Amino acid sequence: MTTHTLTINGEKVTITQESVLLVAADARPNVRPGRHGVLIGSVLWAPKDLLRTVIGNDDLGNVDSPRAMKAFDNLGFQTFTETVYTADGLPFVHPENKLRTQEGVRP
């Protein structure tokens, strides 16, 4: 069983790949994805919206979208990030992130 543990408001919360699939099968996104997205089946979720739905709590504390996306990426789900370009027209890659293609999918 694939798991990932996050600290939310000082408490360790473990989510599993199976729990994400079960919850996403019975729910629909509450918000439209913005800059980040997680693909579950054929539905694109905003990562924080999906995390709130999976853990059943609206208060994510200091968990931002990239951190939520990392959790879903570690669970084996496909994640997407909008590509941002520099003034020279080159893709901007934050030093802590992996290079992403123009479609926003990790190679």
Side-chain angles (χ1 to χ4, degrees):
M1 175 167 58
T2 305
T3 65
H4 185 81
T5 302
L6 295 140
T7 302
I8 300 174
N9 292 322
E11 292 185 36
K12 297 234 181 251
V13 176
T14 300
I15 57 175
T16 66
Q17 186 181 55
E18 293 79 10
S19 67
V20 173
L21 291 171
L22 286 172
V23 168
D26 291 335
R28 291 290 164 244
N30 295 307
V31 296
R32 186 177 190 156
R35 184 165 180 233
H36 304 287
V38 180
L39 189 63
I40 308 292
S42 61
V43 179
L44 189 63
W45 288 78
K48 286 176 31 177
D49 182 35
L50 180 58
L51 185 58
R52 284 185 198 100
T53 304
V54 170
I55 67 170
N57 189 343
D58 287 339
D59 184 7
L60 297 180
N62 65 341
V63 177
D64 58 8
S65 291
R67 215 169 132 210
M69 245 181 41
K70 181 179 179 183
F72 294 116
D73 188 50
N74 288 343
L75 291 172
F77 296 105
Q78 194 170 13
T79 59
F80 300 87
T81 297
E82 170 186 66
T83 302
V84 178
Y85 294 94
T86 65
D88 297 334
L90 299 172
F92 173 77
V93 179
H94 190 278
E96 296 176 9
N97 294 339
K98 296 179 184 174
L99 180 64
R100 298 174 188 268
T101 66
Q102 286 186 338
E103 293 82 26
V105 181
R106 290 183 181 170

